[in-house]
């Protein structure tokens, strides 16, 4: 099963939607590479890209949320921070030669993204819509 963005994840905020699509695409590239038995270096680069895209996306969302005074910002930032900690740990372990770990990243990241967008990011969209801001 491919890791694909779906219109049900559409927040209506263009930059956030583009970044979500980019994250799904990166996870899918990683999944494909791992399954195809790609070289360690290629997988390491994809993992690094995934971390970088996640950091950029979380920073974007958090600045939007701060700008609009989103009341659940602290909790949302904590969820982002916890995901980044997990990703950094996985990258670290991968570099310490626990190569097989890469196998679980796409499934882990896909599950997290779908849950987080549906529950977390949509909380912000609902907040904006209630104030006619989105
Ligand atoms: Fe998001
Ligand atoms: Fe988020």
């Amino acid at each position: 099963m491919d890791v694909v963005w779906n219109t049900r994840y559409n927040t209506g905020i263009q930059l956030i939607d583009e970044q979500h699509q980019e994250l799904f695409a990166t996870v899918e590239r990683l999944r494909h590479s791992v399954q195809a038995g790609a070289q360690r270096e290629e997988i390491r680069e994809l993992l690094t890209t995934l971390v970088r895209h996640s950091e950029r996306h979380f920073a974007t969302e958090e600045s939007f949320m701060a700008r609009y005074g989103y009341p659940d910002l602290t909790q949302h930032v904590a969820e982002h921070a916890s995901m980044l900690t997990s990703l950094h740990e996985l990258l670290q372990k991968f570099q310490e030669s626990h190569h097989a770990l890469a196998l679980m990243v796409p499934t882990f990241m896909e599950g997290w993204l779908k849950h987080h967008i549906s529950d977390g990011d949509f909380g912000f969209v609902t907040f904006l819509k209630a104030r006619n801001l989105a």
Side-chain angles (χ1 to χ4, degrees), residues 6-72:
N6 182 292
T7 49
R8 92 170 73 105
Y9 303 120
N10 200 8
T11 66
I13 302 167
Q14 193 186 354
L15 180 56
I16 288 180
D17 289 330
E18 283 170 3
Q19 290 178 341
H20 285 162
Q21 287 168 31
E22 181 182 65
L23 281 170
F24 274 92
T26 307
V27 173
E28 172 57 12
R29 282 215 311 278
L30 177 62
R31 187 195 66 84
H32 189 263
S33 293
V34 168
Q35 281 187 350
Q39 293 295 307
R40 188 181 178 80
E41 185 56 24
E42 181 184 327
I43 294 175
R44 195 189 62 76
E45 273 177 27
L46 280 169
L47 280 172
T48 307
T49 301
L50 184 61
V51 171
R52 219 179 39 236
H53 286 176
S54 298
E55 284 171 341
R56 192 177 54 196
H57 171 59
F58 295 162
T60 298
E61 270 187 8
E62 289 164 19
S63 75
F64 273 142
M65 290 174 182
R67 191 188 313 159
Y68 290 109
Y70 183 48
D72 293 335

Side-chain angles (χ1 to χ4, degrees), residues 20 57-58 61 65 76 79-80 112 116-117 120-121:
H20 285 162
H57 171 59
F58 295 162
E61 270 187 8
M65 290 174 182
H76 205 98
E79 286 180 24
H80 287 168
W112 187 87
H116 179 82
I117 293 173
D121 294 350

